[in-house]
Amino acid sequence: MINIQKVAVIGCGFVGSTIAYTLMQKGTFSEMVLLDAAQGKAEGEAMDISHGLPFAHAMDIYAGTYEDIADAAVVIITAGANQKPGETRLDLVQKNSRIMRSIISEVKRVNCEGILLIVSNPVDILTEVALRESGFPKERVIGSGTVLDTARLKYLVSEKLNVDSRNVHAFIAGEHGDSELAVWSCANIYGISIDEFAKIRGFRDFTKEKDEIYHAVRDSAYEIIERKGATYYGIGMAAAKIAEAIVRDSHTVVPVSVSLNGEYGLSDLCLSIPAVIGSRGAEQVLEISLNAEEEERLRRSADELKEVLAQIE
């Protein structure tokens, strides 16, 4: 039986431990089990995070084995090789797909019935690998997708227009990586189109700024990795947001990596697309009206990912 208040985090590197720390602070779950190939690492992180519980919410945090994840409502997988400076997310695909297959075989062995949230990169590819290897219904296997990229987009737009980032409604779609696209055609600030709002804020033409923002979003991971070696705070909060939507059944719309079955004319791959997230996982993939240029860029992004999938198959 699934324990809706239990979460498992597989992989206790920078990203996994930050997700665990964020979930502890939020108090979303009452039980959290940490797994890592290095058992001592999982034990150390569980101890360290647990020592903050007097300042947060009651929670049972411990290092465990795959048997301990069998009843977890959400299983967050972050395990994999890190992205090195100068390396693209897709460069990681061969080694991390092997790691993902080994993890999924263990998940199946213990008959886990929870929802798999894939965070390991390249996330769209590895979400598809996890879906195929697990045989789970497609709504139960989702990736963190472009949720973080979308947060970066909202932040940079808010900085440029001097407006609260929570009032920026825009998103990144496609690959979580170099071929992603900003869907400007439906971007708005509290119902006012982004171009119109820019005029209100003193910009005659916002085209150049939009292009600069897009490239800053696309390249931000490279910039951060070059400076500090890894990114983990932003994705930690993004993954916690998705997990929270699942456990609270909040029907939150976020651009996660989901299996496509004809939406946008695409199928047989996972791609980051806005979807409704609730207790059953990805409850519904949303087909949002894109302009012709955006449709073409989404198709190109899908084609690039399909080429990579063909290489690992």
Side-chain angles (χ1 to χ4, degrees), residues 202-216:
F203 291 88
R204 288 186 179 180
D205 185 357
F206 202 55
T207 304
K208 176 173 170 288
E209 285 76 13
K210 286 193 293 187
D211 191 56
E212 289 173 350
I213 289 169
Y214 163 71
H215 284 95

Side-chain angles (χ1 to χ4, degrees), residues 3-303:
N3 177 358
I4 192 64
Q5 281 291 307
K6 183 175 181 179
V7 63
V9 180
I10 301 176
C12 294
F14 284 127
V15 173
S17 56
T18 304
I19 290 171
Y21 176 64
T22 306
L23 288 171
M24 180 274 283
Q25 287 192 311
K26 282 178 167 286
T28 309
F29 297 89
S30 61
E31 183 177 353
M32 177 161 59
V33 56
L34 306 182
L35 281 72
D36 195 90
Q39 178 70 8
K41 172 67 170 162
E43 291 171 354
E45 294 294 354
M47 291 170 64
D48 196 10
I49 296 170
S50 294
H51 295 165
L53 286 173
F55 310 114
H57 307 269
M59 192 177 191
D60 185 17
I61 305 170
Y62 58 95
T65 65
Y66 280 99
E67 279 69 23
D68 295 305
I69 77 169
D71 61 341
V74 183
V75 177
I76 303 173
I77 302 176
T78 74
N82 292 327
Q83 187 176 354
K84 296 180 175 62
E87 186 177 43
T88 69
R89 294 181 181 97
L90 294 181
D91 288 334
L92 297 173
V93 67
Q94 296 293 355
K95 46 190 171 184
N96 281 354
S97 60
R98 289 192 292 270
I99 293 170
M100 183 60 66
R101 287 191 180 101
S102 68
I103 290 171
I104 297 303
S105 68
E106 290 295 300
V107 170
K108 290 172 64 179
R109 180 181 65 80
V110 298
N111 295 317
C112 176
E113 296 182 6
I115 292 165
L116 302 185
L117 173 54
I118 313 300
V119 183
S120 310
N121 275 322
V123 67
D124 303 289
I125 296 292
L126 295 181
T127 303
E128 180 67 20
V129 170
L131 177 64
R132 295 181 185 184
E133 291 292 316
S134 67
F136 288 178
K138 64 178 185 177
E139 64 272 13
R140 274 182 58 199
V141 183
I142 59 181
S144 54
T146 52
V147 176
L148 174 56
D149 310 72
T150 294
R152 289 167 172 160
L153 177 69
K154 292 180 177 182
Y155 166 73
L156 291 172
V157 168
S158 74
E159 287 288 290
K160 188 68 73 174
L161 295 177
N162 194 25
V163 66
D164 190 336
S165 60
R166 292 169 297 184
N167 293 145
V168 179
H169 304 289
F171 67 94
I172 297 285
E175 175 207 356
H176 170 55
D178 296 341
S179 67
E180 66 188 25
L181 63 139
V183 184
W184 293 117
S185 62
C186 59
N188 68 86
I189 313 292
Y190 216 74
I192 304 170
S193 75
I194 195 159
D195 289 325
E196 187 62 31
F197 193 88
K199 288 178 182 176
I200 294 171
R201 302 299 267 176
F203 291 88
R204 288 186 179 180
D205 185 357
F206 202 55
T207 304
K208 176 173 170 288
E209 285 76 13
K210 286 193 293 187
D211 191 56
E212 289 173 350
I213 289 169
Y214 163 71
H215 284 95
V217 170
R218 188 195 66 184
D219 299 337
S220 58
Y222 299 127
E223 296 282 343
I224 295 169
I225 290 169
E226 183 179 334
R227 286 165 172 78
K228 57 175 276 189
T231 70
Y232 37 91
Y233 294 124
I235 187 58
M237 296 184 74
K241 174 73 172 178
I242 300 167
E244 187 176 46
I246 294 169
V247 71
R248 294 187 176 168
D249 196 23
S250 59
H251 312 292
T252 300
V253 176
V254 281
V256 289
S257 188
V258 287
S259 178
L260 298 181
N261 186 28
E263 296 89 352
Y264 302 92
L266 303 172
S267 58
D268 300 322
L269 83 162
C270 289
L271 202 62
S272 299
I273 293 292
V276 180
I277 304 299
S279 61
R280 293 185 290 111
E283 297 179 347
Q284 186 174 11
V285 178
L286 302 178
E287 284 204 74
I288 295 170
S289 296
L290 308 177
N291 63 31
E293 179 188 355
E294 291 163 350
E295 287 182 357
E296 175 58 28
R297 291 188 64 185
L298 186 65
R299 279 194 294 271
R300 288 204 305 265
S301 187
D303 288 343

